[in-house]
Amino acid sequence: MKLKAIKKYNLFIAFLIAVLGFGSACKKETEVSPAYGSPSATYKIYGKIISADGTKIPAIRVIMQTDKIYSLSDSMLSDSDGNYLVIVGGRGGSDSFQLKFEDIDGAKNGNFQMKDTTIKFVDPEFINGGFWYLGETSKKVNIKLEEEL
């Protein structure tokens, strides 16, 4: 009699736990449960830096603006062919980023004016995402710098 009562009690507790959502569903071994947090994504901005006459400009510092200031820790130099690549994390979806292009080598490759620009991602398409990580997107932005007068 006592064993019968315990079995009924266990069935009632199991039913209650399942109804309240405390139970776990069976999953495939490859499935991963999503973590709590905010969606995030990776944005890649790349391109070529050229002069007004189309000459490739090396050694231009590309600085990413973070928290309303430009930080040298978030910077890189264009390579010998004027190519640059900036990778930044964001919240996902449409977003915009401030970049500053600054000539730091003096007259070696010509003197060029500094340029600030805003790169906008409007409804970007993300790849390689999953759960809270939306994936990555990229945008090619070629920059033309004017020579100092």
Side-chain angles (χ1 to χ4, degrees):
M1 178 76 170
K2 196 174 192 181
L3 187 59
K4 209 175 200 183
I6 290 174
K7 283 184 178 181
K8 285 184 179 182
Y9 179 74
N10 285 344
L11 282 173
F12 175 72
I13 295 298
F15 173 76
L16 195 58
I17 288 173
V19 168
L20 294 176
F22 294 120
S24 64
C26 295
K27 292 186 175 189
K28 296 178 188 173
E29 287 182 24
T30 57
E31 285 186 41
V32 178
S33 297
Y36 291 102
S38 298
S40 65
T42 301
Y43 296 85
K44 294 180 180 182
I45 305 165
Y46 67 97
K48 191 173 292 286
I49 303 170
I50 59 172
S51 65
D53 65 3
T55 305
K56 303 167 193 168
I57 310 172
I60 297 294
R61 183 182 293 162
V62 182
I63 308 170
M64 181 65 140
Q65 182 184 24
T66 56
D67 297 329
K68 306 295 182 201
I69 59 169
Y70 287 103
S71 169
L72 291 180
S73 64
D74 296 322
S75 69
M76 57 88 56
L77 292 176
S78 60
D79 67 12
S80 60
D81 289 326
N83 296 310
Y84 74 96
L85 169 66
V86 176
I87 301 173
V88 64
R91 64 181 182 269
S94 296
D95 215 335
S96 62
F97 303 96
Q98 287 288 122
L99 293 179
K100 181 192 287 188
F101 297 86
E102 180 178 54
D103 186 2
I104 60 168
D105 67 354
K108 185 175 179 181
N109 295 311
N111 288 321
F112 295 93
Q113 297 176 9
M114 181 184 67
K115 182 172 187 168
D116 287 319
T117 189
T118 301
I119 311 299
K120 294 182 181 182
F121 287 85
V122 179
D123 295 325
E125 187 174 317
F126 294 99
I127 58 170
N128 301 325
F131 299 114
W132 285 105
Y133 178 65
L134 300 176
E136 62 183 52
T137 187
S138 61
K139 186 172 220 176
K140 182 176 183 176
V141 180
N142 292 327
I143 299 296
K144 187 180 290 187
L145 296 180
E146 301 292 327
E147 288 197 48
E148 291 279 344
L149 299 177

